Amino acid sequence: MSRRVGWIAAASTALAAGVAAPAAGTADAVAPAIAWHDCWAGWGTKCATVRVPLDYDNPRGATLLLDLVKMPATGPQPRIGTVFVNPGGPGVRATDFVDYASRHLGPTVTARYDVIGIDPRGVGQDSMMLCHNDNPEPTPAPPPFPVTWTQSAAVWRSAQWVRTGCKENPNPIVAHMSTADTARDMDLIRRALGEPRLNYYGASYGTYLGATYASMFPDRVRRMVLDGVVDPVAWATGATGEAATLPVTTRVRGAEGAYTGLVAALRECDRLGRRQCAFAGNAPGKWRQLLARAKAGGLQVNERRMTYPALVQSTLGMMYEDDYSLLAQSLQAIWVENFRRVDRVDPRLVQALDRASRRVDEQPYAAPSATRGPVTETVDAFHGVACADSRNPRERIDWWRAGQAQDKQYPWFGSLWTWRSATCGNWPIVTKEDTWVRPFGGRTSGPILVVGNTYDPATPIHGARAVVRRFDRARLLTYAGWGHTAIGNSCVTAAFDTFFASGVMPAPGAVCRMDGPLFSGG
């Protein structure tokens, strides 16, 4: 896989093995001084680098540097406070998300809040997590997910190559990369800013960071928005006994969201017709034809073979957006080339498919709006965080069985989502020292607005409903639409604006609709 060359993200074995009681908070840590300076001429953003404890169990010991970006409130009304933002990933730079978030969380946030992004541990240029493996990466590159038991060996070897480097030659940061440590960093910087409580917006995996913070520091929540929600219990451990047999990326039920979303989208495509959806005209049947030919090894795209895993992964990547027109155009062009034997696929569509495939491979739990092309330097931070946070099975057979079972229940996407976390099998236990596995939920000092999409292909609405059940002051806003996360929708933005202005949440049972049709042109 292209995401690794020699130095890879990983987990440290510099500390003794075993799991110690985690640091609960940040009370013993010294709040850092923050010296803001202009980031880039004309952008209006401010940058800073702060020093925080490497290990909150030893807050006066070794330190690391974290990068911050702030978009100051534009005024002229009095400033209300600060909103911390995280776009998910895990492993995406929050500093790249600040400008977008400040413009899409509503005019109140733009005018009356400073918006701050903190690059999580192991992600920013000053805290990059690295492990070295003296042996070359196995070749050829494995498929995105295995279709056969033999292929599963290649995927597992690639995952083992990462784990070996992580075990034998990591840098110290990856022993301290859990989401709980990032929550502690956020709390420490909140203190440094003089903010009595935290305002927060988190998308995708960023909702797990928010739920972790709210569970660790329930009395420090002011206003929190969780958008495109990961069920925190499913992410961390699953239900009793599940961690021994079900990988984390199976437990969060992404396969269910992707399967139900695509089936509904294909029906909608036929309902709208060819003027709006290029793939219309028995879209479900044509999709099955593409799958069958890909499985048989005969699917061609510009006279080059496209494998079944590549077709599925690219399709999923395009499903992250809230307009499926490009997906429909791409599938129709491939279908025409293979079943009508005329035309070649527009190279721009091929490039879009490739970008979508890399997007799922590199940052599967991130809001699409945060994507700025392939972010290869943060890719393995996904494993550094996700594997530290979660408990998982240990053997290849466990991933194979889970993927096969998911494929029967939610065809096409079951193995894709399951094998995304294969690297977490036998991940060094020392990285889990400070993870938060205590109960999630309870009563917070401020309200939590939870947004869930009915057809989210990565974090199905099940996660949003689970968070609402767990937190006493949480309320669900349903976004009746497709795509991953709801930020940018006009109705949702209006709800964000009211919430950050006054703390008032939408009425119980409130539903936002899409701004436009799912398919906007053939």
Side-chain angles (χ1 to χ4, degrees):
M1 301 170 79
S2 62
R3 64 177 183 266
R4 297 186 294 270
V5 178
W7 282 89
I8 55 175
S12 175
T13 53
L15 301 179
V19 179
T26 61
D28 295 330
V30 176
I34 304 178
W36 297 105
H37 59 86
D38 291 339
C39 296
W40 304 282
W43 280 47
T45 50
K46 303 291 183 179
C47 287
T49 301
V50 299
R51 194 172 294 277
V52 300
L54 174 67
D55 182 357
Y56 280 95
D57 289 316
N58 183 19
R60 305 301 174 97
T63 60
L64 74 147
L65 298 174
L66 296 179
D67 302 315
L68 282 64
V69 167
K70 175 175 71 173
M71 179 65 77
T74 60
Q77 295 174 292
R79 177 181 170 279
I80 294 176
T82 297
V83 177
F84 290 84
V85 296
N86 184 284
V92 175
R93 297 181 64 167
T95 53
D96 288 341
F97 186 60
V98 167
D99 177 63
Y100 182 91
S102 69
R103 291 183 286 109
H104 288 84
L105 292 178
T108 297
V109 169
T110 303
R112 304 189 65 187
Y113 285 87
D114 297 336
V115 178
I116 291 181
I118 308 167
D119 281 346
R121 292 167 170 245
V123 175
Q125 61 183 0
D126 290 310
S127 68
M128 188 66 65
M129 59 181 294
L130 300 170
C131 280
H132 186 69
N133 193 321
D134 291 330
N135 298 314
E137 184 176 10
T139 55
F145 61 90
V147 179
T148 66
W149 173 247
T150 300
Q151 288 178 350
S152 75
V155 177
W156 195 254
R157 275 195 303 272
S158 181
Q160 182 60 42
W161 182 80
V162 176
R163 289 192 296 266
T164 299
C166 300
K167 201 170 184 179
E168 295 179 355
N169 194 7
N171 64 352
I173 179 62
V174 271
H176 307 284
M177 280 201 54
S178 72
T179 296
D181 275 327
T182 295
R184 295 179 182 104
D185 293 337
M186 192 159 60
D187 191 62
L188 192 64
I189 293 167
R190 173 197 62 78
R191 279 176 45 201
L193 293 169
E195 300 279 350
R197 290 186 292 168
L198 184 91
N199 301 294
Y200 179 78
Y201 169 86
S204 196
Y205 156 80
T207 66
Y208 183 73
L209 172 58
T212 299
Y213 184 95
S215 299
M216 294 174 65
F217 308 110
D219 60 337
R220 301 174 199 176
V221 174
R222 186 168 185 263
R223 293 167 189 167
M224 179 173 286
V225 173
L226 306 180
D227 178 11
V229 185
V230 174
D231 179 349
V233 172
W235 183 273
T237 61
T240 302
E242 280 189 341
T245 58
L246 293 181
V248 54
T249 46
T250 305
R251 299 193 304 254
V252 297
R253 295 166 60 170
E256 176 184 354
Y259 171 73
T260 57
L262 183 57
V263 169
L266 294 175
R267 287 198 301 262
E268 179 71 358
C269 177
D270 277 345
R271 187 187 73 81
L272 293 173
R274 284 296 300 272
R275 283 194 174 184
Q276 286 185 250
C277 179
F279 200 48
N282 190 21
K286 290 195 292 187
W287 168 247
R288 288 192 294 269
Q289 284 182 300
L290 292 176
L291 294 169
R293 182 156 292 189
K295 282 186 175 181
L299 189 68
Q300 300 290 311
V301 179
N302 283 352
E303 301 176 359
R304 298 182 63 182
R305 179 172 172 254
M306 185 178 206
T307 66
Y308 172 76
L311 173 64
V312 172
Q313 180 160 284
S314 296
T315 298
L316 176 61
M318 289 192 168
M319 291 173 63
Y320 275 55
E321 306 299 333
D322 61 359
D323 185 328
Y324 281 16
S325 297
L326 187 60
L327 171 62
Q329 292 162 17
S330 300
L331 295 179
Q332 177 66 10
I334 297 171
W335 185 83
V336 166
E337 179 179 348
N338 284 268
F339 294 99
R340 289 187 179 170
R341 302 189 183 281
V342 294
D343 299 330
R344 287 167 59 100
V345 179
D346 186 331
R348 291 171 296 182
L349 297 179
V350 178
Q351 292 168 6
L353 283 164
D354 183 58
R355 286 194 301 271
S357 180
R358 290 201 307 270
R359 183 259 176 281
V360 173
D361 188 49
E362 294 171 358
Q363 25 187 278
Y365 296 103
S369 54
T371 304
R372 306 258 195 272
V375 190
T376 54
E377 79 266 20
T378 67
V379 171
D380 285 295
F382 170 84
H383 293 117
V385 176
C387 301
D389 284 344
S390 60
R391 277 40 177 178
N392 290 282
R394 300 177 59 84
E395 306 296 336
R396 172 167 60 117
I397 188 64
D398 296 313
W399 263 262
W400 176 255
R401 287 171 176 163
Q404 291 294 292
Q406 283 281 285
D407 282 336
K408 289 180 181 178
Q409 193 169 8
Y410 306 113
W412 321 315
F413 301 104
S415 286
L416 187 158
W417 273 116
T418 291
W419 283 89
R420 186 64 189 86
S421 59
T423 304
C424 294
N426 296 308
W427 192 256
I429 191 66
V430 69
T431 65
K432 303 179 188 294
E433 280 191 336
D434 291 323
T435 57
W436 182 264
V437 293
R438 301 176 187 183
F440 289 90
R443 185 168 184 81
T444 52
S445 54
I448 302 176
L449 175 57
V450 180
V451 186
N453 297 13
T454 52
Y455 292 121
D456 194 307
T459 54
I461 197 169
H462 153 81
R465 291 169 178 155
V467 165
V468 169
R469 289 194 302 269
R470 298 186 193 285
F471 286 93
D472 295 347
R473 299 192 65 185
R475 180 171 295 171
L476 175 65
L477 171 62
T478 299
Y479 173 60
W482 283 261
H484 181 44
T485 74
I487 188 171
N489 171 266
S490 60
C491 171
V492 172
T493 297
F496 289 167
D497 188 62
T498 299
F499 181 69
F500 280 115
S502 62
V504 174
M505 292 196 283
V511 177
C512 281
R513 307 290 176 183
M514 297 180 69
D515 286 328
L518 181 61
F519 301 95
S520 57

